[in-house]
């Protein structure tokens, strides 16, 4: 990195903040999956329901992430040297957290559910 950076308390605080942000983002997507499974909006198989859930939360997720990145970039450029490590960890973490919520957590959800389990759950909810 073009600046001195230590792994100190501020860096650890940034990493923990990003983990919380990523978990919150993942919970929002999974809650939308649960909402679509519980209502009559669900159409198709489980993978298409998950796809609909991601599509319905994508704009909110991207807008939140881009807004945070914009603010953090301004703070990184114009902020003091003492906060630069924290901001750098937050910038990297927001990108990784958003990516993991949308493109890692939901495919893992789809891959870990067996077809029998999915059919049983959808039938129980009166969808299939």
């Amino acid at each position: 990195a073009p600046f001195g950076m230590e792994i100190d308390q501020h860096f650890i605080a940034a990493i923990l903040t990003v983990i919380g942000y990523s978990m919150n983002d993942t919970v929002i997507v999974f809650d939308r999956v649960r909402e679509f499974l519980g209502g009559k909006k669900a159409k198709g198989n489980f993978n298409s329901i998950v796809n609909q859930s991601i599509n319905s939360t994508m704009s909110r997720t991207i807008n939140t992430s881009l807004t945070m990145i914009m603010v953090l970039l301004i703070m990184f450029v114009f902020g003091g040297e003492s906060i630069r490590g924290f901001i750098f960890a937050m910038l990297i973490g927001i990108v990784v957290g958003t990516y993991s919520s949308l493109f890692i957590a939901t495919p893992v959800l789809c891959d870990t559910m067996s077809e029998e389990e999915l059919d049983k759950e959808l039938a129980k909810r009166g969808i299939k």
Side-chain angles (χ1 to χ4, degrees):
F3 54 91
M5 195 169 98
E6 299 176 14
I7 297 181
D8 58 355
Q9 294 172 354
H10 302 291
F11 186 84
I12 300 299
I15 297 299
L16 292 174
T17 302
V18 166
I19 289 171
Y21 174 81
S22 178
M23 287 175 58
N24 182 48
D25 208 19
T26 303
V27 165
I28 289 169
V29 174
F30 286 178
D31 187 51
R32 189 60 55 99
V33 171
R34 182 193 54 79
E35 179 183 319
F36 280 4
L37 281 175
K40 297 298 178 189
K41 296 180 185 178
K43 291 181 174 61
N45 62 5
F46 183 73
N47 291 341
S48 66
I49 292 170
V50 171
N51 190 33
Q52 292 170 5
S53 302
I54 291 174
N55 287 336
S56 70
T57 59
M58 180 77 77
S59 63
R60 176 184 179 266
T61 300
I62 298 298
N63 285 338
T64 303
S65 297
L66 289 179
T67 303
M68 287 186 66
I69 287 172
M70 184 176 62
V71 170
L72 289 171
L73 279 174
I74 291 169
M75 289 175 65
F76 185 78
V77 171
F78 297 114
E81 189 66 34
S82 63
I83 198 169
R84 200 157 279 159
F86 177 79
I87 299 300
F88 182 73
M90 288 288 291
L91 280 169
I92 299 300
I94 293 300
V95 172
V96 171
T98 302
Y99 180 82
S100 71
S101 295
L102 295 175
F103 303 114
I104 294 176
T106 50
V108 167
L109 172 68
C110 290
D111 289 343
T112 56
M113 305 266 306
S114 68
E115 288 297 321
E116 298 156 354
E117 187 177 349
L118 292 174
D119 290 339
K120 185 189 301 182
E121 185 65 29
L122 291 174
K124 182 172 81 174
R125 296 181 185 270
I127 296 171
K128 208 171 189 184

